[in-house]
Amino acid sequence: MSNSYFQKFTIAAGIILLSSAWSARAIDACQKIQFSTERANLSRLLSSSGFSKEENLFLLRGVDQKLSEIKRGLLNARGSECGLNAVRALVIGCLNHSLPSTLRSITSPNRKTGKALWGKSDVTRRDAAVIGMTHACKASAMEHFFSN
């Protein structure tokens, strides 16, 4: 097994554990969290992290698409009590919480990956980090708020 593969696996596992831990703490926050506030915070975070307006729009559209896949009928009792918009807001809150340290850890963030993600060819490393973190945060929400 190559060192690069091991490093990628370790990073991915760490991201999932981080988002799961944050989501577990966020369960009690359902009544306090606002979707519009979290989304605006994410947009500001991306802008302040050096993402261009085009990158920001691309990533926000992708996040919105992933959130639209979270349907009311998929929620378990805890998710129903929390509410669909609150669950979606918690996913974005997870991103807002996790992305700053993730983005700081990326070497050569503007380097192209050669991978096509979310319909965009050759995304940058930092685009890929946001996309990966989105999937990790959504997976954490699925674990806590979706029916099995």
Side-chain angles (χ1 to χ4, degrees), residues 13-28:
I15 287 171
I16 290 171
L17 287 173
L18 175 64
S19 66
S20 293
W22 185 88
S23 183
R25 287 190 309 267
I27 291 170
D28 296 328

Side-chain angles (χ1 to χ4, degrees), residues 110-125:
N110 293 320
R111 178 186 269 174
K112 300 289 185 170
T113 63
K115 304 287 181 195
L117 300 170
W118 288 1
K120 181 179 178 182
S121 61
D122 205 17
V123 297
T124 64
R125 286 181 172 183

Side-chain angles (χ1 to χ4, degrees), residues 1 44 47 84 120 131 141 145:
M1 174 167 37
R44 279 191 294 279
S47 294
L84 182 61
K120 181 179 178 182
I131 292 167
F145 298 112

Side-chain angles (χ1 to χ4, degrees), residues 40-109:
N41 289 342
L42 178 58
S43 181
R44 279 191 294 279
L45 172 63
L46 294 173
S47 294
S48 69
S49 297
F51 286 88
S52 70
K53 184 176 181 177
E54 294 78 23
E55 289 172 311
N56 191 323
L57 291 172
F58 162 72
L59 291 167
L60 287 174
R61 276 193 305 265
V63 168
D64 288 341
Q65 173 59 40
K66 291 298 150 193
L67 293 176
S68 74
E69 295 169 1
I70 300 174
K71 305 286 188 199
R72 189 173 316 281
L74 299 174
L75 299 176
N76 61 20
R78 187 173 17 192
S80 293
E81 183 180 325
C82 193
L84 182 61
N85 282 336
V87 170
R88 289 174 175 172
L90 287 168
V91 173
I92 299 175
C94 171
L95 285 168
N96 289 335
H97 176 79
S98 305
L99 277 176
S101 60
T102 300
L103 293 172
R104 282 191 303 272
S105 72
I106 299 170
T107 57
S108 305

